Amino acid sequence: MKKTVKMFLILLIVIMALSTVLAGCGSKKAENTGEMSAKPGDDKASTEPVKKSDMTLTVYDRGTIPAEEGTVEDNRWTKWISETGPVNAKFVAIPRWESMQKMNTLFASGAAPELILEFDPAIKQQWFTQKQLQPIDEMIEKYSTDYKKLLETYPQIKKLAVKSDGKMYEFGRVQNLRTNHFLYIRADWLKKLNLEAPKTIDELYTVAKAFAEQDPDGNSKKDTYGMSLSFVSGLVLASAFQNVSWVVENGELVRDWDRATAMTTFMKKLYDEGIVDKDFVTDKNGAKAQQDFITGKLGIYGANAGGEALGFALYDSFKKNVPAGEIIPIALPKTEFGQFSPVLNPPIQLTAVVNVGAKNTEGIMKYVDFMSTEATMKTLKYGLDGTHSKAGANGCYAPIDAEKFKQEVSYTGDLAMLTNPALEGKCALYSSQLNADKPLEAEFLNIIKLADEAYLSPERPVATFTEYMPQLPEELQLISKNGEKSGANGTLAPGNVLADNWVKAVISGAAYTPEQAMTDSKAAWDKIGGKKLEEFYKSWYAENKDKAFMQKDLYTFK
């Protein structure tokens, strides 16, 4: 009898052990390896589904999603996020260029989503001032794994996310430091007119004048412009003059007027001599200048996202219109204020805040963790492995079918505002998707190389002392809005009294000089309370210059 009981107990133990092993095998989730998903839901548990909490969040609506794909709130990728991620994500569409108005209405009605994705720091600062947001320190500490690791690797995120009360209020992401604005010049025109690429602002004037007056396109007509002043071209010129409003002089942060005056004087000279298109003020988005450039009528042009897909599309259009044309990016010419580089893509972006009324902080944090992984980033960027993209010889993913990719994947950028391209290393760069065996793409790869050499150098730093200006107290925000709004042509676009003065000086001939514009602008600045803003920035810089994210910190992300 004892022997029988003993055998029964042994058998029972074996059965229980086998049950435990089999249960463990059945419930184990796929590990996050950094690979793209093969299909939606691949990394879910294979046993009965776990009940997920609901979470509401915003998504920009740009009106660009193909009708066949659904809507911005309901499409293949919003479904994939809910199926694969840790929560049932309920998306709320926010018109891209009306986010403040839409969100303020939602806040007022008590219907604002729990997680709010927003790029504009001024809008988020307003919500913070109005106590519409809640700090995120505790939820990170209690619930996070992946995002907590990201903060440990990139402590600069925390440095930027902390508000005036010492707590973090924004989630961020990390990208590679990349070129953004390019200064393009027609290299074939330089050769034809026996000119060198300009290295100083005086040489830039000489070259632009020759492009406008010496028939570089050889059609025996005076139908070319030397350079553009519209939109990005104006912003690039502002970088060359370091005309960025706030500059460091003698160890202090001060409001600049001399650089604005010098830039206006230069532009006035180009305008008066007919070297530039005199309609540049009304060309607010630069569309006319771009058309002139791609059709071979413009010699010097500032391009946006020069080393990205947008830049390649511009180059492709140029070569189709002017097959024999040759363009190269050049370092910004040196001025009396130094030599600088144009705007770069900042390596850290703060992209999300949490509604003060949000209760599901665990779900929010798990969602942010899910978005912070390499696997999620790759899937939202490239689509499904083997369906939309595949790894090439360089190990980087690229689309299999360009049209299919455009239709089914190209609209995911706003869903991916919390993903981290830097996790991909060099594969995050647009250049990794180009094929050097194709002549056009090989040419563009060389353009990117030249731009990186010209612009990603601390020897020619960006013109601003920081890419991340401090958040202003509520009482100073209106002063900043009225006195610093720049608009489509940098500091010279209409939009407020100060900007209008500079524009007036460019287009008014001898009747209104840059010096008069400076005098009038200073008076207007004082009238709106600009001195208060000057004192704030001066004090902030003195206290934070050794600990805030400054110009030099950009180049640690190369």
Side-chain angles (χ1 to χ4, degrees):
M1 179 67 179
K2 290 181 179 179
K3 185 175 180 181
T4 301
V5 171
K6 184 176 181 181
M7 291 296 295
F8 175 77
L9 290 173
I10 292 172
L11 181 61
L12 182 61
I13 291 170
V14 170
I15 291 171
M16 290 174 67
L18 285 172
S19 297
T20 301
V21 170
L22 290 172
C25 290
S27 63
K28 184 178 180 181
K29 290 186 179 182
E31 294 181 1
N32 191 336
T33 63
E35 298 296 321
M36 296 161 60
S37 294
K39 61 181 180 180
D42 256 9
D43 52 359
K44 294 190 299 180
S46 57
T47 57
E48 62 183 70
V50 177
K51 183 172 175 58
K52 299 178 181 180
S53 62
D54 292 337
M55 190 195 81
T56 56
L57 70 160
T58 66
V59 60
Y60 283 139
D61 186 356
R62 301 175 190 263
T64 57
I65 295 181
E68 299 83 357
E69 288 292 292
T71 66
V72 69
E73 310 105 309
D74 184 15
N75 53 70
R76 74 175 67 228
W77 299 110
T78 58
K79 291 183 175 70
W80 179 86
I81 288 170
S82 286
E83 292 172 1
T84 313
V87 297
N88 292 316
K90 308 295 182 182
F91 291 90
V92 177
I94 305 294
R96 173 62 185 99
W97 306 114
E98 300 172 18
S99 59
M100 176 180 282
Q101 301 93 308
K102 177 68 173 180
M103 282 304 306
N104 285 348
T105 299
L106 292 174
F107 274 126
S109 65
E114 295 168 284
L115 185 65
I116 305 163
L117 282 81
E118 173 63 54
F119 284 121
D120 192 326
I123 294 175
K124 290 179 286 186
Q125 179 63 18
Q126 177 179 301
W127 295 335
F128 168 74
T129 302
Q130 296 170 345
K131 302 187 185 307
Q132 303 278 23
L133 309 179
Q134 64 174 286
I136 61 177
D137 307 72
E138 185 176 343
M139 67 181 78
I140 293 172
E141 185 59 35
K142 287 179 65 175
Y143 304 122
S144 179
T145 53
D146 296 279
Y147 192 75
K148 187 183 292 184
K149 291 176 184 176
L150 189 73
L151 291 180
E152 292 170 356
T153 305
Y154 299 99
Q156 299 95 332
I157 301 175
K158 182 174 182 179
K159 182 187 291 189
L160 295 171
V162 171
K163 297 289 188 184
S164 56
D165 62 359
K167 298 177 182 179
M168 285 191 290
Y169 283 82
E170 298 189 56
F171 292 111
R173 65 175 179 175
V174 185
Q175 310 178 101
N176 299 75
L177 181 66
R178 309 190 316 278
T179 54
N180 186 0
H181 292 171
F182 281 21
L183 182 62
Y184 272 130
I185 194 166
R186 286 290 299 269
D188 55 323
W189 286 8
L190 288 174
K191 294 172 185 174
K192 181 174 181 178
L193 301 180
N194 197 29
L195 296 167
E196 299 289 334
K199 295 181 174 60
T200 68
I201 202 69
D202 289 337
E203 291 176 2
L204 181 68
Y205 161 77
T206 299
V207 170
K209 186 175 180 66
F211 284 175
E213 297 178 352
Q214 296 182 25
D215 191 28
D217 60 353
N219 68 352
S220 301
K221 298 178 182 178
K222 193 177 185 305
D223 59 353
T224 55
Y225 296 117
M227 63 183 292
S228 168
L229 299 179
S230 299
F231 196 35
V232 174
S233 298
L235 296 173
V236 171
L237 191 61
S239 291
F241 276 94
Q242 202 189 15
N243 183 16
V244 292
S245 296
W246 300 98
V247 297
V248 177
E249 289 185 344
N250 301 318
E252 292 185 345
L253 187 63
V254 298
R255 178 69 161 89
D256 168 72
W257 302 101
D258 293 336
R259 292 160 179 79
T261 306
M263 176 178 166
T264 305
T265 300
F266 180 76
M267 294 177 70
K268 186 179 186 71
K269 186 176 183 180
L270 298 176
Y271 185 90
D272 288 346
E273 296 184 21
I275 295 171
V276 299
D277 182 358
K278 294 197 172 184
D279 292 332
F280 83 93
V281 176
T282 59
D283 188 20
K284 295 183 184 299
N285 63 0
K288 186 175 186 298
Q290 179 173 302
Q291 186 66 19
D292 287 338
F293 183 67
I294 64 176
T295 55
K297 298 301 179 185
L298 179 61
I300 302 169
Y301 174 72
N304 187 38
E308 309 294 327
L310 188 64
F312 182 71
L314 176 78
Y315 185 66
D316 183 38
S317 296
F318 171 77
K319 293 297 286 187
K320 285 177 179 175
N321 285 291
V322 193
E326 181 185 354
I327 59 175
I328 57 171
I330 60 170
L332 301 193
K334 187 175 182 179
T335 70
E336 62 189 284
F337 306 103
Q339 187 172 24
F340 304 95
S341 288
V343 171
L344 304 176
N345 280 309
I348 294 176
Q349 283 185 306
L350 300 179
T351 56
V353 291
V354 179
N355 185 345
V356 70
K359 304 299 183 185
N360 186 14
T361 53
E362 181 176 5
I364 291 170
M365 193 67 250
K366 295 301 181 185
Y367 179 85
V368 174
D369 270 10
F370 170 69
M371 284 289 166
S372 298
T373 64
E374 185 177 356
T376 301
M377 178 272 296
K378 285 184 174 180
T379 300
L380 289 178
K381 181 177 180 181
Y382 299 114
L384 303 182
D385 189 9
T387 300
H388 299 108
S389 301
K390 66 179 180 179
N394 61 357
C396 300
Y397 281 93
I400 296 171
D401 182 312
E403 285 303 313
K404 181 180 179 66
F405 186 90
K406 180 180 179 181
Q407 176 80 7
E408 298 183 359
V409 185
S410 64
Y411 59 84
T412 60
D414 292 324
L415 294 171
M417 283 173 60
L418 281 164
T419 63
N420 293 280
L423 298 179
E424 250 194 313
K426 294 297 183 183
C427 288
L429 302 176
Y430 177 71
S431 57
S432 71
Q433 300 181 36
L434 298 174
N435 185 349
D437 293 330
K438 297 181 178 180
L440 189 71
E441 295 183 24
E443 291 169 13
F444 195 67
L445 280 168
N446 185 58
I447 284 175
I448 293 175
K449 177 176 178 290
L450 292 174
D452 286 349
E453 292 171 354
Y455 306 141
L456 297 182
S457 170
E459 296 177 0
R460 293 179 296 277
V462 292
T464 52
F465 76 95
T466 179
E467 292 292 295
Y468 307 96
M469 293 292 283
Q471 300 299 326
L472 295 172
E474 186 173 14
E475 65 271 17
L476 297 180
Q477 290 176 24
L478 185 60
I479 297 173
S480 177
K481 180 180 179 180
N482 290 337
E484 298 187 287
K485 182 179 178 181
S486 58
N489 289 295
T491 56
L492 295 177
N496 58 39
V497 173
L498 276 71
D500 288 345
N501 289 338
W502 299 118
V503 173
K504 181 180 175 183
V506 172
I507 65 177
S508 298
Y512 192 73
T513 66
E515 289 73 22
Q516 186 62 49
M518 179 175 69
T519 299
D520 292 347
S521 294
K522 280 185 175 182
W525 175 253
D526 290 343
K527 186 174 181 179
I528 64 173
K531 293 295 183 185
K532 295 178 183 178
L533 199 56
E534 290 183 48
E535 287 302 316
F536 172 83
Y537 279 133
K538 180 180 178 180
S539 176
W540 177 87
Y541 183 77
E543 295 174 7
N544 294 277
K545 61 183 178 181
D546 295 325
K547 55 185 178 181
F549 193 105
M550 295 298 179
Q551 183 190 79
K552 65 181 188 310
D553 296 315
L554 285 174
Y555 302 96
T556 64
F557 285 83
K558 282 185 65 177

